[in-house]
Amino acid sequence: MLEMNHISKSFGNLEVLKDISIQVDQGKVIVVIGPSGSGKTTLLRCLNVLERPEKGEVTIDDQTIDFSEKLDKKTIRELRKQTGMVFQNYNLFPHLSVIENIMEGPVTVQKIDKQQAREVAMRLLEKVGLGDKADVYPHQLSGGQQQRVGIARAMAIDPKVMLFDEPTSALDPELIGEVLQVMKDLAEEGMTMVVVTHEMNFAKDVADEVVFMDEGYIVERGAPVDVFENPKEERTKRFLNLIQ
Ligand code: ADP
């Protein structure tokens, strides 16, 4: 469903991703962990071409972008439509109501009929447990509720893959669980997901594969039970000792 092959990305002289390859099968959940600055966010942003790597390929479903070739805007747009991105700080539009936030992508990008977009948005809002909040504005919601709207919004374009960039790290501890539960539900329904998170219990419970990154490399990857209980690499051991 999703493949990243030999991706390298630099900012100036700083090489942030060094020949990264990952594959995610349909319906699987990959959790990416690693210290701050290791390249996790950049990896996600390359997956939906918010960043342009110098080298490598990204394939989503049957669409491939080869970054060593000249990029065609239409291909980028098409590929981006296959991914829903959830950001650390929700990135909701403050001047739009909750339902308008969710309808925005389908109506303006996909040119879907407003009434139809509203019905889909309502269904998604109910799915994330916020059916009664359609007409309020983001500032009237808790952080956890805003992030659940963020997830509904990312789902509204009917993506093939969902990308989560530290979706709970801006939340107060008591609000984290409700967001993780929505993500867990999505995983159980068979959504293909790449999740950058520091929530190790979520990784243990939900991930099919855990990828540990450090300094732009994938240091270790494997089933959660192997990476967490029996890490092979010293760097992984050190990181896990620090956070557990
Ligand atoms: P992580 O998500 O693991 O914390 P990031 O992917 O955000 O790591 O960042 C990796 C490295 O790339 C960091 O050193 C960061 O400062 C640098 N970086 C990220 N985005 C940019 C940018 N737009 N311009 C310059 N440097 C960047």
Side-chain angles (χ1 to χ4, degrees):
M1 173 56 81
L2 172 72
E3 243 183 81
M4 175 179 243
N5 285 317
H6 303 295
I7 289 284
S8 298
K9 168 74 190 163
S10 299
F11 292 110
N13 290 331
L14 182 69
E15 201 179 1
V16 177
L17 297 178
K18 300 166 181 162
D19 194 25
I20 297 285
S21 297
I22 55 173
Q23 301 78 35
V24 192
D25 290 339
Q26 177 151 22
K28 300 290 182 194
V29 177
I30 291 216
V31 170
V32 183
I33 61 171
S36 180
S38 57
K40 305 178 301 294
T41 294
T42 307
L43 181 149
L44 278 190
R45 291 173 59 86
C46 287
L47 277 175
N48 70 353
V49 208
L50 283 174
E51 298 290 351
R52 296 212 186 162
E54 290 82 45
K55 269 195 310 219
E57 284 178 4
V58 168
T59 299
I60 297 177
D61 207 11
D62 56 0
Q63 200 142 28
T64 297
I65 291 191
D66 181 346
F67 290 100
S68 56
E69 289 173 0
K70 194 172 175 300
L71 297 185
D72 148 29
K73 281 211 177 91
K74 185 162 169 277
T75 318
I76 295 177
R77 241 190 345 257
E78 288 300 314
L79 188 120
R80 217 171 261 160
K81 273 198 250 167
Q82 319 277 15
T83 63
M85 181 99 165
V86 176
F87 300 89
Q88 187 174 344
N89 295 314
Y90 335 126
N91 282 11
L92 300 178
F93 298 113
H95 60 288
L96 297 181
S97 69
V98 161
I99 193 136
E100 287 164 348
N101 262 282
I102 302 174
M103 290 164 60
E104 204 267 347
V107 171
T108 60
V109 183
Q110 293 180 312
K111 314 285 180 215
I112 285 174
D113 166 72
K114 260 197 168 165
Q115 191 48 39
Q116 195 190 339
R118 185 174 288 275
E119 282 164 25
V120 172
M122 236 9 256
R123 222 172 27 244
L124 287 167
L125 260 185
E126 272 154 25
K127 198 178 156 92
V128 300
L130 295 171
D132 56 340
K133 301 288 186 195
D135 297 318
V136 309
Y137 285 81
H139 72 89
Q140 296 170 289
L141 297 175
S142 72
Q145 291 171 329
Q146 288 187 54
Q147 190 58 297
R148 286 189 276 152
V149 174
I151 295 173
R153 187 184 56 178
M155 291 285 294
I157 57 165
D158 197 20
K160 300 246 166 64
V161 178
M162 284 283 284
L163 308 174
F164 295 84
D165 189 9
E166 297 194 24
T168 59
S169 57
L171 295 175
D172 290 335
E174 73 273 19
L175 303 178
I176 290 175
E178 64 191 66
V179 172
L180 294 179
Q181 187 57 50
V182 168
M183 293 166 63
K184 226 179 211 175
D185 292 345
L186 273 184
E188 275 165 15
E189 286 167 19
M191 179 52 83
T192 309
M193 296 169 38
V194 183
V195 184
V196 172
T197 185
H198 297 291
E199 293 295 326
M200 296 301 146
N201 285 329
F202 175 84
K204 285 176 194 166
D205 284 357
V206 182
D208 294 290
E209 185 179 36
V210 173
V211 170
F212 170 62
M213 285 185 68
D214 195 13
E215 296 181 355
Y217 291 104
I218 292 180
V219 176
E220 185 161 354
R221 64 173 88 192
V225 57
D226 295 327
V227 175
F228 289 119
E229 312 288 331
N230 197 12
K232 291 187 187 58
E233 302 292 332
E234 272 313 308
R235 275 199 279 181
T236 320
K237 286 180 198 166
R238 243 180 297 145
F239 175 72
L240 292 173
N241 280 335
L242 280 175
I243 56 158
Q244 279 170 343

